[in-house]
Amino acid sequence: MTENWAETLWASLPVPAVLVDAGDKILDMTPAAESFLNTSVKSVRGSPVWDKVMVDAPLEDAFARVRSDRAGLYINDVDVGSGNRAPAQCNLQIGPVMRDPGLVLVLFEPRQIAERMDRANSMKSAAKSAIGMAEMLAHEIKNPLAGITGAAQLLAMGLRGEDLELTDLIVGEARRITKLLDQVEQFGNLRPPERKSVNLHDLLDRARKSAALGVAARMRIVEDYDPSLPNTHVDGDQMLQVFQNLMKNAAEASDPRDGGTITLRTFYDMALRVRRSDGSHARLPLQVEIIDDGPGIPADIVDDIFDPFVSGRENGTGLGLALVSKIVSDHDGWVGVESTPGRTVFRISLPVAPKEETETP
């Protein structure tokens, strides 16, 4: 095999892999590892691996065994991180490089993706269980609530002073409850997505403009796009709602006095595949990340943040992110979150549009 072929295969590996020399310094890493560790190979090449890759396990002995025995070994359930990303639980496979006894190859298998895919399926079921409740609430509460609002408005026409303040309170609270019920009612939408070929950056641009004029008016919004990204295959209106909900969530997580920064990032990653309901597999190479620099999601709820009625904010409804999960799941996509103080990343993985599809105007 030629050197060019070897380079091509290395660059095409869909798993995070790091090549370490005899002095435990980083020689190279795959593009999947750059994405997983949120760093570039240029910035870490030649650095001690322990300075750039934080592994919650004594790997010095493991490296020594691999080099001496010329055989691979496995280490399960260890936390792996870097200075640029939060730790993630992984299984490690460490092996020797046959042509050079000093080289060691480390493969990272993030367990979080498989676990979050299972969690996404359970969240989808939880969202569906809210549908019956949504229909009942909409029918049993919204109609009489409209009558209460109308009656309060009629009473207000002949009142003044403190009495008028009370009727205004009734109207305001009734409208707030109606808005909440509107959010719950969205779970009752069983219409399948009307999928078409859509440019992700067009949707993100619309969500950005809307946020900049509203919830994120005091924030800085940074775009970090891969311009070569192909179109995705989604319902544009539904996916726009996903991006708007996530940007609203990011804006509400920031300090209202100082604002903050929201980063919109897109990139291509072939590592993620999901199993469809019919048993077939689908790749989700199109990645969208919405990143905020707020205080982060409380650790005790981060694993349940996409469940209905789970919220990290006071007076939060816990419905916005549940709806995000439902819409993305309906598109056979994946959504996950990583959160540490000062950096919360919501990542959405979506499919590429079929070649025969034409872009929507």
Side-chain angles (χ1 to χ4, degrees), residues 212-224:
L213 294 173
V215 293
R218 299 189 59 185
M219 302 188 70
R220 187 169 69 102
I221 302 178
V222 177
E223 299 174 5
D224 181 13

Side-chain angles (χ1 to χ4, degrees), residues 28-106:
D28 205 353
M29 62 173 55
T30 61
E34 292 182 277
S35 175
F36 173 65
L37 296 171
N38 194 28
T39 191
S40 68
V41 66
K42 291 182 180 179
S43 68
V44 300
R45 183 177 281 132
S47 301
V49 64
W50 314 120
D51 291 349
K52 301 298 181 180
V53 183
M54 290 66 175
V55 180
D56 186 22
L59 292 191
E60 294 90 341
D61 292 341
F63 280 16
R65 286 178 53 192
V66 168
R67 290 184 176 116
S68 62
D69 298 344
R70 306 299 296 156
L73 59 83
Y74 295 86
I75 301 177
N76 295 325
D77 302 334
V78 296
D79 288 336
V80 179
S82 71
N84 300 318
R85 63 153 293 153
Q89 194 170 69
C90 297
N91 296 332
L92 302 187
Q93 183 175 357
I94 307 173
V97 177
M98 292 299 116
R99 293 194 305 175
D100 191 326
L103 299 185
V104 173
L105 182 64
V106 185

Side-chain angles (χ1 to χ4, degrees), residues 152 155-156 159-173:
L155 285 173
L159 299 175
R160 64 182 62 185
E162 293 182 358
D163 292 336
L164 183 59
E165 290 180 5
L166 290 175
T167 56
D168 288 344
L169 177 63
I170 293 172
V171 172
E173 288 300 295

Side-chain angles (χ1 to χ4, degrees), residues 265-283:
R265 179 176 178 237
T266 63
F267 58 99
Y268 199 86
D269 183 358
M270 288 293 292
L272 183 60
R273 294 196 309 169
V274 296
R275 183 185 295 273
R276 298 190 182 100
S277 57
D278 61 3
S280 62
H281 287 84
R283 290 190 180 275

Side-chain angles (χ1 to χ4, degrees), residues 135 182 259:
E135 293 175 344
D182 287 339

Side-chain angles (χ1 to χ4, degrees), residues 130-131 133-146 173-189 309 317 319 323:
I131 291 174
M133 179 185 63
E135 293 175 344
M136 179 191 69
L137 288 174
H139 177 73
E140 298 294 335
I141 299 178
K142 287 181 72 175
N143 288 338
L145 199 61
E173 288 300 295
R175 287 175 175 169
R176 184 181 65 83
I177 296 172
T178 300
K179 185 177 180 180
L180 172 62
L181 293 176
D182 287 339
Q183 286 184 290
V184 177
E185 197 173 17
Q186 292 182 69
F187 286 105
N189 180 12
F309 309 113
T317 64
L319 293 174
L323 185 60

